[in-house]
Amino acid sequence: MAPHDLSVLTASRTADSPNRGAGGMDSLRIRGGKPLSGEIRVGGAKNAALPLMAAALLTDGTLTLRNIPRLADIATMTSLLEQHGVTVSFEEPTNGAPGRTAKLCAAGVDNTTAPYDIVRKMRASVLVLGPLLARFGRARVSLPGGCAIGTRPVDLHLKGLEQLGAEIDLDQGYIVASAPKGLTGADVVFPFVSVGATENLLTAAALARGVTRLKNAAREPEVGDLAECLKAMGARIEGIGADTLTIEGVDALSGADHLVPPDRIETGSLAMAAAATGGDVTLVGARPDMLEQVFRAMGQAGAVIDVDGDRVRVRCPRVLGVDVMTEPYPGFPTDLQAQMMAMLARAEGASMVTESIFENRFMHVPELSRMGANINLHGRSAMVRGVNRLTGAEVMATDLRASMSLVIAALAAEGETVVNRVYHLDRGYERLEDKLAPCGAEIERIAG
Ligand code: EPZ
């Protein structure tokens, strides 16, 4: 197999572009202190869309995915799949449909290597490992390194695939996996819950010989959604939504047409922005059933949340201190911990925020402190003592959700905040400033 020249590929193949130009070193200027008020439509879920796109590698049929958000991470996954030889096209929404439609066809895959240059940009690239191995019997995927929120190893992915019969070596920073005679079903017991490992094993098992049982599987809605899409492609899966998934492998999968669910993390983030500013915002096109723990915690913190079908109205006359601990689904998500902390920074009373999923996901704390928050870290817990006011500052974050937490703090703060390195936000929030400005936020993007 000829190694790919990535510079040629990125120049000749057009990935969908993230928000506004290159994103580069853009920043957001926010003048805070105004309650948000109005309606915001929620976009498609990034963390559902990424594994779904990787699942296109499992078939030579066309996988149609609707409601794909316009995000930098989607552009990265598109580039990755294109360099494998997958054709990817996007159609803009018509007739009031919520998001873009992607059509992916992996009939002409000519390269089973996921190169370092793409994987280092986005860890979710490792989700191509299971599908490539299951369909082509081999894959060479750059090992994702650590990242801002922790070391994040992929040992569970690799051990699980070995249990399905894969041979795995590490060579010059790459995972080299092979299964010349195909994969065979097995019982895989995860020692702890991993979303990505469950997704890689689920896609691999769909084409393995015999029955696979994934025990202590992640129950995140994005995992269930991937399983539903695989079923529509012809996979046999039972136990969706439970902690044991049973997969009876089939010889081949076909294309399918699948609707990406709304982004529960975007929904929660916007709800927290509304609450932190004492606003009145209705989120439209949401799936409130995926946010029960989040809305419970927000309710304890003083938010009034009214659910009407796919509409969620959030008001918050005063924010009260509350204790929150992140846990695998259905617990409070780690992906909303930073945003909740920003909301609690101005609470009446103290809150204890405990992070149990990642070892280093408190990068927002020093920046929130620079805006006047009173937060002390004790190991995996943060003691947040509510302050009367936050003040604007120039801040910067090193990951997506931490950046969103700074935006929330900025919206609630007095004066002007400049949030630098907005490319982190563009990885996971579509047109954030365009969604917030109609609700009264004074927010503008400054090209960097
Ligand atoms: C997914 O990451 C999400 N990403 C993350 O969202 C999310 O924070 C995380 O799940 C937890 O909910 C996508 O879905 C694309 P894990 P993933 O494997 O699958 C450890 C965002 O902001 N672990 O469930 O990589 C790991 O280090 C992102 O949108 C191992 O030790 O997370 C972590 O501590 C960030 N070995 C814990 O398990 C392994 O082999 C849970 O990670 C795998 C994981």
Side-chain angles (χ1 to χ4, degrees), residues 46-48 50-51 73 122-124 126-127 149-158 192-199 218 220 222 264-265 327-329 333-335 356-359 361 380 399-401 428:
K46 167 179 84 84
N47 290 346
L50 293 172
D73 275 8
M122 185 183 70
R123 295 181 49 87
V126 79
L127 295 172
I149 60 177
T151 49
R152 300 183 76 184
V154 288
D155 53 323
L156 301 190
H157 303 232
L158 305 187
F192 52 88
V193 172
S194 163
V195 175
T198 304
E199 291 169 342
E220 268 65 5
E222 295 76 21
R264 66 191 168 101
I265 305 301
E327 285 174 319
Y329 192 84
T334 172
D335 289 348
S356 76
I357 309 289
F358 291 108
E359 72 266 32
R361 210 173 195 183
R380 291 196 160 198
D399 91 84
L400 162 60
R401 310 301 172 187

Side-chain angles (χ1 to χ4, degrees), residues 271-273 275-277 294 296-303 316 318-325 332 336-354 362 364 368 372-375 382-390 405 408-409 412:
M272 288 166 192
T277 61
V294 172
R296 186 168 303 140
M298 289 182 68
Q300 287 166 355
C316 193
R318 50 199 275 244
V319 182
L320 311 171
V322 68
D323 292 348
V324 175
M325 181 162 83
F332 189 98
L336 283 171
Q337 177 258 111
Q339 301 90 314
M340 187 76 183
M341 200 186 294
M343 172 183 157
L344 294 172
R346 277 197 329 139
E348 292 171 30
S351 310
M352 179 79 91
V353 178
T354 303
F362 284 130
H364 42 288
L368 290 173
N374 181 351
I375 306 173
M383 171 62 81
V384 185
R385 293 188 174 85
V387 294
N388 283 334
R389 59 184 208 123
L390 296 173
S405 114
I408 293 172

Side-chain angles (χ1 to χ4, degrees), residues 304-326:
V304 180
I305 296 176
D306 296 309
V307 170
D308 178 11
D310 73 349
R311 296 168 68 87
V312 181
R313 183 177 177 194
V314 183
R315 284 165 292 169
C316 193
R318 50 199 275 244
V319 182
L320 311 171
V322 68
D323 292 348
V324 175
M325 181 162 83
T326 65

Side-chain angles (χ1 to χ4, degrees), residues 179-237:
K181 292 184 190 140
L183 297 169
T184 313
D187 279 11
V188 175
V189 185
F190 296 111
F192 52 88
V193 172
S194 163
V195 175
T198 304
E199 291 169 342
N200 249 332
L201 267 291
L202 184 59
T203 46
L207 287 181
R209 242 187 334 269
V211 175
T212 299
R213 271 180 218 90
L214 303 178
K215 297 186 179 168
N216 200 20
R219 295 163 61 193
E220 268 65 5
E222 295 76 21
V223 174
D225 182 65
L226 173 64
E228 293 292 356
C229 179
L230 292 171
K231 277 179 76 171
M233 294 165 75
R236 298 202 186 121
I237 302 172

